[in-house]
């Protein structure tokens, strides 16, 4: 028999069948009272049996009981909200901040920082990690109209965002090729730049001592050309990333946590000014 659980620590609602997790609704938090529903996924062998709908129904009932609100970021959840007035009663309006990570590494420090920052955004701001690893290398020939499908989805996603946080590693004193590729993809075809006007923060992360400063400057240079207003101060150089987190994924100290929170708070003030 299928059962449902809320798992605060793993940030998910899960559908369980005989002890197996067969579906999950992943969320992040926006302040204390809002959940951002990011992805709803059902294991392939359990699709077509209404698991997704039942899981979402359970989650929405639970949210109502807890007095929470939901930002529907996942396309499936968005569609369900559009079709269900009851769900919309618990919808929160939020500025969408895309968090873009310049590393594809599984245990990436940049990704860990990005996930934390996304969760640290206050009420009214919903953070969402935007994936870039699926984008083939940009080739200007694609601008003739036969580009990869993943380009269309990525460009539409960037267009839908209100703000941006870039978290970059440093590769050979520059940003990573994957991040530059993503910036190029959503900047083209010429005249269809999707980045412009969205307030941004650029964060450098490195296990080294120099804060990935060269990578941050690299990203800032491209964003200036793409007409993206970037927060000037405080600068966000996170060194010694290997010591930033405990094994359980939490911050190693209150000091580090406070520093990262200060960056996020500064970004929100900057974004508020820019967005009006
Ligand atoms: C090709 C390559 C070049 C690197 N160059 C630099 C560098 O210029 N500056 C630096 O601080 N770290 C450099 N590193 C080390 C990275 O900071 C380290 O691998 C880091 O963990 C990558 O970020 P991630 O944890 O988000 O994947 C380099 C790593 C690689 C693989």
């Amino acid at each position: 028999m299928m059962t449902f659980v809320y798992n605060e620590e793993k940030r998910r609602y899960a559908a369980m069948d005989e002890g197996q997790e067969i579906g999950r609704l992943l969320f992040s938090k926006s302040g204390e009272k809002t959940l951002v529903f990011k992805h709803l996924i059902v294991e392939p062998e359990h699709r077509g049996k209404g698991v997704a709908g039942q899981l979402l129904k359970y989650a929405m009932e639970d949210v109502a009981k807890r007095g929470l609100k939901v930002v529907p970021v996942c396309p499936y959840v968005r569609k369900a909200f559009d079709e269900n007035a009851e769900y919309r009663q618990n919808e929160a309006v939020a500025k969408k901040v895309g968090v873009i990570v310049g590393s594809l590494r599984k245990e990436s420090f940049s990704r860990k920082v990005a996930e934390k920052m996304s969760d640290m955004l206050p009420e009214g701001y919903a953070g969402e990690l935007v994936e870039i690893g699926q984008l083939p290398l940009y080739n200007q020939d694609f601008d003739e109209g036969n580009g990869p499908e993943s380009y269309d989805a990525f460009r539409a996603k960037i267009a839908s965002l209100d703000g941006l946080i870039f978290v970059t590693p440093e590769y050979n004193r520059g940003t990573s090729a994957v991040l530059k590729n993503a910036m190029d993809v959503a900047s083209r075809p010429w005249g269809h730049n999707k980045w412009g006007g969205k307030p941004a923060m650029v964060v450098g992360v490195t296990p080294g001592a120099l804060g990935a400063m060269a990578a941050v400057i690299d990203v800032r240079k491209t964003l200036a050309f793409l007409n993206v207003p970037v927060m000037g101060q405080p600068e966000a150089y996170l060194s010694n990333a290997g010591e930033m987190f405990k094994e359980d994924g939490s911050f190693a100290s209150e000091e580090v946590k406070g520093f990262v929170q200060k960056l996020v708070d500064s970004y929100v003030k900057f974004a508020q000014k820019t967005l009006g």
Side-chain angles (χ1 to χ4, degrees), residues 65-268:
K65 258 190 251 153
R66 290 172 198 267
L68 303 175
K69 298 273 181 204
V70 170
V71 180
V73 164
C74 165
Y76 173 85
V77 177
R78 173 71 266 169
K79 189 160 173 282
F81 269 58
D82 289 342
E83 290 165 0
N84 188 328
E86 213 176 301
Y87 288 176
R88 287 200 299 278
Q89 282 179 3
N90 287 320
E91 180 172 352
V93 180
K95 301 273 185 220
K96 295 195 206 95
V97 178
V99 187
I100 298 161
V101 184
S103 168
L104 305 182
R105 198 168 72 86
K106 234 188 307 134
E107 295 297 323
S108 160
F109 297 123
S110 309
R111 193 173 183 96
K112 286 180 186 157
V113 168
E115 281 167 355
K116 290 281 184 233
M117 286 188 153
S118 173
D119 269 3
M120 284 171 149
L121 286 163
E123 206 87 45
Y125 285 78
E128 180 192 354
L129 262 67
V130 180
E131 301 299 335
I132 60 174
Q134 76 286 9
L135 301 170
L137 282 180
Y138 174 73
N139 174 340
Q140 201 177 347
D141 290 339
F142 294 150
D143 292 356
E144 307 304 321
N146 55 349
E149 267 177 36
S150 59
Y151 278 23
D152 296 337
F154 182 67
R155 286 166 175 155
K157 169 58 73 184
I158 299 304
S160 75
L161 299 169
D162 299 294
L164 304 161
I165 296 177
F166 291 88
V167 186
T168 179
E170 186 169 84
Y171 282 177
N172 301 317
R173 296 289 182 261
T175 191
S176 61
V178 272
L179 182 50
K180 180 60 165 55
N181 187 52
M183 289 195 284
D184 291 342
V185 169
S187 75
R188 291 279 162 154
W190 175 250
H192 297 272
N193 169 27
K194 298 291 189 284
W195 303 104
K198 299 178 196 295
M201 167 165 73
V202 185
V203 182
V205 177
T206 175
L210 301 180
M213 187 207 225
V216 169
I217 291 170
D218 205 13
V219 176
R220 283 174 178 269
K221 181 186 62 182
T222 298
L223 294 180
F225 177 68
L226 293 175
N227 206 25
V228 174
V230 179
M231 182 175 83
Q233 295 288 343
E235 292 174 292
Y237 303 130
L238 301 178
S239 304
N240 304 316
E243 280 104 66
M244 272 184 81
F245 301 100
K246 292 189 200 154
E247 267 202 8
D248 66 5
S250 60
F251 281 112
S253 71
E254 283 302 311
E255 194 193 347
V256 179
K257 185 178 171 189
F259 183 69
V260 176
Q261 185 68 62
K262 193 176 136 219
L263 290 173
V264 171
D265 294 347
S266 302
Y267 168 69
V268 169

